[in-house]
Amino acid sequence: MKILSYNIYGVKNTTFPIPKWNERQKNIEKILNKELKDNEIKVCCFQEVNKNNIDLLNDILKRYNFKMLKKFPMKTQLYNQYNIIAIKNEMNVVLKDVYCLPHGRDIEYKSVDKQFIDYGMSDYRTTVFVYFEYGGKKYLIGNIHTDYISTEGKITAVVKSLNYMDGINANYKMILGDMNMISHMSEVYNILKQNGNYVTLSRGRNFNVSDNSWHGYGRKEQVNVDFAFVEKNIINSYDYKIVKQDNMVKEGSDHRPIIISIE
Protein backbone atom coordinates (compact mmCIF):
# COMPACT_ATOMS: atom_id res chain seq x y z
CA MET A 1 0.00 0.00 0.00
CA LYS A 2 1.12 3.59 -0.68
CA ILE A 3 0.30 7.05 0.66
CA LEU A 4 0.84 10.23 -1.36
CA SER A 5 1.46 13.61 0.29
CA TYR A 6 1.67 16.94 -1.57
CA ASN A 7 1.73 20.59 -0.52
CA ILE A 8 0.00 22.13 -3.56
CA TYR A 9 0.95 25.76 -2.76
CA GLY A 10 -2.27 27.73 -2.39
CA VAL A 11 -0.85 31.23 -3.03
CA LYS A 12 -2.48 32.59 -6.18
CA ASN A 13 -0.64 35.86 -6.92
CA THR A 14 3.09 35.24 -7.31
CA THR A 15 5.98 36.80 -9.24
CA PHE A 16 8.77 35.46 -11.47
CA PRO A 17 10.43 32.93 -11.35
CA ILE A 18 7.34 31.23 -9.91
CA PRO A 19 5.05 30.18 -12.79
CA LYS A 20 1.63 31.80 -13.04
CA TRP A 21 -1.32 30.25 -11.20
CA ASN A 22 -3.02 28.65 -14.22
CA GLU A 23 0.23 27.04 -15.34
CA ARG A 24 0.84 25.62 -11.87
CA GLN A 25 -2.70 24.20 -11.73
CA LYS A 26 -2.17 22.47 -15.08
CA ASN A 27 1.10 21.04 -13.79
CA ILE A 28 -0.56 19.75 -10.61
CA GLU A 29 -3.20 18.04 -12.73
CA LYS A 30 -0.56 16.42 -14.97
CA ILE A 31 1.46 15.20 -11.98
CA LEU A 32 -1.54 13.76 -10.16
CA ASN A 33 -2.94 12.24 -13.35
CA LYS A 34 0.28 10.29 -13.66
CA GLU A 35 0.78 9.31 -10.01
CA LEU A 36 -2.81 8.39 -9.15
CA LYS A 37 -2.91 5.76 -11.87
CA ASP A 38 -0.98 3.64 -9.38
CA ASN A 39 -3.73 1.61 -7.72
CA GLU A 40 -1.45 0.90 -4.76
CA ILE A 41 -2.05 4.49 -3.58
CA LYS A 42 -4.96 4.25 -1.14
CA VAL A 43 -4.57 7.53 0.77
CA CYS A 44 -3.74 11.07 -0.39
CA CYS A 45 -2.77 13.94 1.92
CA PHE A 46 -2.72 17.52 0.64
CA GLN A 47 -1.59 20.72 2.34
CA GLU A 48 -2.28 24.38 1.44
CA VAL A 49 -5.70 23.61 0.03
CA ASN A 50 -8.00 26.63 -0.06
CA LYS A 51 -10.97 28.06 -1.96
CA ASN A 52 -8.79 28.67 -5.04
CA ASN A 53 -7.70 25.08 -5.64
CA ILE A 54 -10.11 22.78 -3.81
CA ASP A 55 -12.50 22.30 -6.74
CA LEU A 56 -9.72 21.23 -9.11
CA LEU A 57 -8.33 18.89 -6.49
CA ASN A 58 -11.74 17.32 -5.86
CA ASP A 59 -12.29 16.81 -9.60
CA ILE A 60 -8.93 15.04 -9.96
CA LEU A 61 -9.58 12.82 -6.93
CA LYS A 62 -13.01 11.80 -8.20
CA ARG A 63 -11.47 10.92 -11.56
CA TYR A 64 -9.32 8.31 -9.82
CA ASN A 65 -12.04 7.07 -7.46
CA PHE A 66 -10.86 8.87 -4.33
CA LYS A 67 -13.25 10.32 -1.78
CA MET A 68 -12.34 13.60 -0.09
CA LEU A 69 -12.95 13.25 3.66
CA LYS A 70 -14.31 15.75 6.17
CA LYS A 71 -12.77 19.21 5.92
CA PHE A 72 -11.54 21.21 8.92
CA PRO A 73 -10.92 24.86 7.96
CA MET A 74 -7.96 26.64 9.55
CA LYS A 75 -7.64 30.40 10.03
CA THR A 76 -4.57 31.71 8.18
CA GLN A 77 -3.17 35.07 7.06
CA LEU A 78 -4.71 34.90 3.57
CA TYR A 79 -7.46 32.30 3.11
CA ASN A 80 -8.91 29.62 5.30
CA GLN A 81 -6.88 26.52 4.53
CA TYR A 82 -7.49 22.78 4.77
CA ASN A 83 -5.32 19.74 5.32
CA ILE A 84 -7.21 17.41 2.99
CA ILE A 85 -7.23 13.62 3.22
CA ALA A 86 -8.77 11.45 0.51
CA ILE A 87 -9.08 7.67 0.54
CA LYS A 88 -9.68 5.21 -2.27
CA ASN A 89 -13.38 4.57 -2.69
CA GLU A 90 -13.14 0.77 -2.63
CA MET A 91 -15.05 -1.82 -0.60
CA ASN A 92 -11.81 -3.23 0.84
CA VAL A 93 -10.82 0.20 2.25
CA VAL A 94 -13.05 0.53 5.32
CA LEU A 95 -13.16 3.99 6.91
CA LYS A 96 -13.40 3.95 10.71
CA ASP A 97 -12.81 7.55 11.80
CA VAL A 98 -11.60 11.01 10.80
CA TYR A 99 -10.21 13.23 13.55
CA CYS A 100 -8.71 16.72 13.60
CA LEU A 101 -6.05 17.53 16.23
CA PRO A 102 -5.28 21.24 16.76
CA HIS A 103 -1.63 22.22 17.18
CA GLY A 104 -2.15 24.95 19.77
CA ARG A 105 -3.43 24.70 23.33
CA ASP A 106 -6.94 23.66 22.28
CA ILE A 107 -7.80 20.13 23.36
CA GLU A 108 -10.31 19.74 20.55
CA TYR A 109 -10.56 21.42 17.14
CA LYS A 110 -12.62 24.62 17.12
CA SER A 111 -14.52 26.35 14.33
CA VAL A 112 -12.80 29.24 12.51
CA ASP A 113 -14.66 31.94 14.46
CA LYS A 114 -13.35 30.46 17.74
CA GLN A 115 -9.79 29.64 16.66
CA PHE A 116 -6.96 31.18 18.66
CA ILE A 117 -3.36 31.06 17.38
CA ASP A 118 -0.85 29.93 20.03
CA TYR A 119 2.94 29.68 20.49
CA GLY A 120 3.69 32.64 18.21
CA MET A 121 2.52 30.71 15.17
CA SER A 122 1.48 32.36 11.92
CA ASP A 123 -1.72 30.36 11.53
CA TYR A 124 -4.09 27.91 13.21
CA ARG A 125 -2.50 24.57 12.33
CA THR A 126 -3.81 21.01 12.57
CA THR A 127 -3.10 17.34 11.98
CA VAL A 128 -6.00 15.51 10.33
CA PHE A 129 -6.05 11.75 11.02
CA VAL A 130 -7.78 9.00 9.09
CA TYR A 131 -8.26 5.58 10.72
CA PHE A 132 -9.20 2.72 8.42
CA GLU A 133 -8.85 -0.99 7.70
CA TYR A 134 -7.37 -2.47 4.55
CA GLY A 135 -6.18 -5.99 3.81
CA GLY A 136 -6.86 -7.17 7.35
CA LYS A 137 -4.67 -4.41 8.86
CA LYS A 138 -5.52 -1.19 10.71
CA TYR A 139 -3.92 2.08 9.63
CA LEU A 140 -3.69 5.49 11.29
CA ILE A 141 -2.45 8.19 8.91
CA GLY A 142 -2.05 11.81 9.97
CA ASN A 143 -1.81 14.67 7.47
CA ILE A 144 0.25 17.44 9.08
CA HIS A 145 1.33 20.96 8.10
CA THR A 146 3.38 22.57 10.85
CA ASP A 147 3.90 26.30 11.31
CA TYR A 148 6.68 27.94 9.30
CA ILE A 149 7.58 30.60 11.89
CA SER A 150 7.39 29.23 15.42
CA THR A 151 9.92 26.59 16.50
CA GLU A 152 7.88 25.99 19.64
CA GLY A 153 4.78 25.57 17.50
CA LYS A 154 6.46 22.98 15.28
CA ILE A 155 7.78 20.90 18.16
CA THR A 156 4.55 21.07 20.16
CA ALA A 157 2.48 20.12 17.10
CA VAL A 158 4.47 17.02 16.25
CA VAL A 159 4.82 15.80 19.85
CA LYS A 160 1.09 16.28 20.37
CA SER A 161 0.38 14.31 17.19
CA LEU A 162 2.76 11.47 18.11
CA ASN A 163 1.27 11.23 21.60
CA TYR A 164 -2.21 10.99 20.06
CA MET A 165 -1.05 8.10 17.87
CA ASP A 166 0.25 6.26 20.93
CA GLY A 167 -3.33 5.96 22.18
CA ILE A 168 -4.71 4.35 19.00
CA ASN A 169 -4.58 0.62 18.25
CA ALA A 170 -3.27 0.21 14.69
CA ASN A 171 -0.81 -1.99 12.81
CA TYR A 172 0.71 1.02 11.06
CA LYS A 173 0.85 4.61 12.32
CA MET A 174 2.41 7.69 10.78
CA ILE A 175 2.17 11.42 10.35
CA LEU A 176 3.40 12.86 7.08
CA GLY A 177 3.25 16.14 5.23
CA ASP A 178 4.98 19.52 5.16
CA MET A 179 6.96 19.59 8.40
CA ASN A 180 8.57 23.02 7.80
CA MET A 181 11.76 21.65 9.37
CA ILE A 182 14.67 19.44 8.40
CA SER A 183 14.68 15.81 9.52
CA HIS A 184 18.23 15.88 10.95
CA MET A 185 18.07 19.28 12.70
CA SER A 186 17.43 20.37 16.28
CA GLU A 187 13.62 20.49 16.13
CA VAL A 188 13.42 16.79 15.26
CA TYR A 189 16.03 15.93 17.89
CA ASN A 190 13.89 17.71 20.49
CA ILE A 191 10.72 15.96 19.28
CA LEU A 192 12.24 12.47 19.44
CA LYS A 193 13.61 13.15 22.92
CA GLN A 194 10.02 13.73 24.04
CA ASN A 195 8.60 10.69 22.25
CA GLY A 196 11.06 7.96 21.35
CA ASN A 197 8.54 5.55 19.85
CA TYR A 198 8.98 7.06 16.38
CA VAL A 199 11.70 7.94 13.88
CA THR A 200 11.78 10.10 10.77
CA LEU A 201 11.38 8.65 7.30
CA SER A 202 12.94 11.15 4.89
CA ARG A 203 15.09 9.01 2.62
CA GLY A 204 14.26 5.92 0.62
CA ARG A 205 16.34 3.03 -0.62
CA ASN A 206 16.98 4.87 -3.90
CA PHE A 207 17.27 8.36 -2.41
CA ASN A 208 19.50 10.86 -4.20
CA VAL A 209 20.98 13.39 -1.79
CA SER A 210 20.50 16.15 -4.38
CA ASP A 211 16.71 15.65 -4.44
CA ASN A 212 14.77 18.24 -2.43
CA SER A 213 11.11 17.91 -1.56
CA TRP A 214 10.98 21.73 -1.41
CA HIS A 215 12.70 23.42 -4.34
CA GLY A 216 11.31 26.96 -3.98
CA TYR A 217 11.49 27.48 -7.76
CA GLY A 218 15.24 27.86 -7.92
CA ARG A 219 16.24 28.63 -4.33
CA LYS A 220 19.79 27.44 -3.79
CA GLU A 221 19.07 25.46 -0.64
CA GLN A 222 19.16 21.76 0.24
CA VAL A 223 15.76 21.45 1.89
CA ASN A 224 13.80 18.25 2.39
CA VAL A 225 10.86 19.26 4.58
CA ASP A 226 8.22 16.79 3.37
CA PHE A 227 8.65 13.54 5.26
CA ALA A 228 7.05 11.23 7.81
CA PHE A 229 7.33 10.11 11.41
CA VAL A 230 6.80 6.33 11.62
CA GLU A 231 7.09 3.67 14.33
CA LYS A 232 10.70 2.97 15.25
CA ASN A 233 10.18 -0.78 15.67
CA ILE A 234 8.95 -1.31 12.07
CA ILE A 235 10.95 1.31 10.19
CA ASN A 236 12.07 -1.34 7.68
CA SER A 237 8.44 -1.83 6.60
CA TYR A 238 8.47 1.61 4.97
CA ASP A 239 10.03 3.23 1.94
CA TYR A 240 10.12 6.86 0.80
CA LYS A 241 10.21 8.53 -2.62
CA ILE A 242 10.20 12.11 -3.94
CA VAL A 243 8.34 12.67 -7.22
CA LYS A 244 10.57 14.98 -9.23
CA GLN A 245 9.84 16.53 -12.64
CA ASP A 246 12.58 16.76 -15.27
CA ASN A 247 12.25 20.55 -15.45
CA MET A 248 11.39 22.90 -12.60
CA VAL A 249 8.83 24.83 -14.67
CA LYS A 250 6.85 21.58 -14.90
CA GLU A 251 6.46 21.43 -11.12
CA GLY A 252 2.99 22.24 -9.80
CA SER A 253 4.16 23.75 -6.53
CA ASP A 254 7.22 24.92 -4.64
CA HIS A 255 7.02 21.46 -2.99
CA ARG A 256 7.24 18.07 -4.65
CA PRO A 257 4.94 15.15 -3.84
CA ILE A 258 6.28 12.33 -1.71
CA ILE A 259 5.08 8.72 -1.69
CA ILE A 260 5.39 6.44 1.33
CA SER A 261 5.18 2.70 0.64
CA ILE A 262 4.21 0.17 3.31
CA GLU A 263 5.46 -3.33 2.58
Side-chain angles (χ1 to χ4, degrees), residues 168-202:
I168 305 297
N169 177 27
N171 300 98
Y172 300 97
K173 307 177 187 181
M174 74 170 72
I175 53 172
L176 77 165
D178 179 3
M179 300 290 176
N180 273 312
M181 55 185 156
I182 312 302
S183 60
H184 60 275
M185 299 295 280
S186 59
E187 293 98 337
V188 170
Y189 175 78
N190 192 310
I191 288 163
L192 298 179
K193 277 187 67 176
Q194 295 186 56
N195 190 323
N197 296 328
Y198 301 90
V199 291
T200 58
L201 179 69
S202 61

Side-chain angles (χ1 to χ4, degrees), residues 109-175:
Y109 167 82
K110 293 184 178 179
S111 58
V112 169
D113 59 313
K114 296 179 180 177
Q115 289 177 3
F116 182 78
I117 299 171
D118 293 309
Y119 305 122
M121 297 191 295
S122 62
D123 308 307
Y124 191 90
R125 303 281 186 169
T126 65
T127 307
V128 178
F129 287 94
V130 59
Y131 184 49
F132 65 98
E133 291 184 6
Y134 170 69
K137 303 290 186 180
K138 295 179 180 178
Y139 297 83
L140 180 67
I141 310 296
N143 178 15
I144 191 170
H145 188 189
T146 68
D147 197 69
Y148 70 94
I149 292 177
S150 170
T151 298
E152 183 182 10
K154 296 174 192 178
I155 294 170
T156 302
V158 176
V159 172
K160 193 174 183 181
S161 300
L162 298 180
N163 290 346
Y164 171 79
M165 291 201 298
D166 282 340
I168 305 297
N169 177 27
N171 300 98
Y172 300 97
K173 307 177 187 181
M174 74 170 72
I175 53 172

Side-chain angles (χ1 to χ4, degrees), residues 23-169:
E23 184 177 348
R24 284 187 278 133
Q25 300 315 287
K26 290 177 182 177
N27 289 346
I28 287 172
E29 187 165 13
K30 288 179 183 177
I31 291 166
L32 292 179
N33 277 340
K34 180 180 179 181
E35 298 305 321
L36 295 183
K37 289 176 183 175
D38 184 351
N39 195 49
E40 288 298 305
I41 296 177
K42 304 298 182 185
V43 179
C44 296
C45 299
F46 297 95
Q47 305 89 41
E48 286 203 45
V49 182
N50 61 41
K51 64 181 183 180
N52 295 322
N53 54 21
I54 194 167
D55 290 339
L56 172 65
L57 181 60
N58 197 36
D59 288 345
I60 297 169
L61 291 169
K62 286 182 178 179
R63 189 180 309 158
Y64 293 95
N65 198 29
F66 282 88
K67 177 173 61 177
M68 191 180 286
L69 301 181
K70 183 177 179 180
K71 300 184 286 294
F72 300 89
M74 298 174 287
K75 181 166 62 178
T76 71
Q77 294 176 345
L78 295 176
Y79 311 107
N80 291 340
Q81 284 190 9
Y82 309 92
N83 291 335
I84 292 295
I85 296 185
I87 63 171
K88 199 77 171 181
N89 193 20
E90 298 175 342
M91 288 186 63
N92 58 353
V93 180
V94 182
L95 177 65
K96 296 294 186 181
D97 191 27
V98 181
Y99 179 73
C100 183
L101 183 75
H103 288 180
R105 293 179 177 85
D106 290 342
I107 303 301
E108 298 293 337
Y109 167 82
K110 293 184 178 179
S111 58
V112 169
D113 59 313
K114 296 179 180 177
Q115 289 177 3
F116 182 78
I117 299 171
D118 293 309
Y119 305 122
M121 297 191 295
S122 62
D123 308 307
Y124 191 90
R125 303 281 186 169
T126 65
T127 307
V128 178
F129 287 94
V130 59
Y131 184 49
F132 65 98
E133 291 184 6
Y134 170 69
K137 303 290 186 180
K138 295 179 180 178
Y139 297 83
L140 180 67
I141 310 296
N143 178 15
I144 191 170
H145 188 189
T146 68
D147 197 69
Y148 70 94
I149 292 177
S150 170
T151 298
E152 183 182 10
K154 296 174 192 178
I155 294 170
T156 302
V158 176
V159 172
K160 193 174 183 181
S161 300
L162 298 180
N163 290 346
Y164 171 79
M165 291 201 298
D166 282 340
I168 305 297
N169 177 27

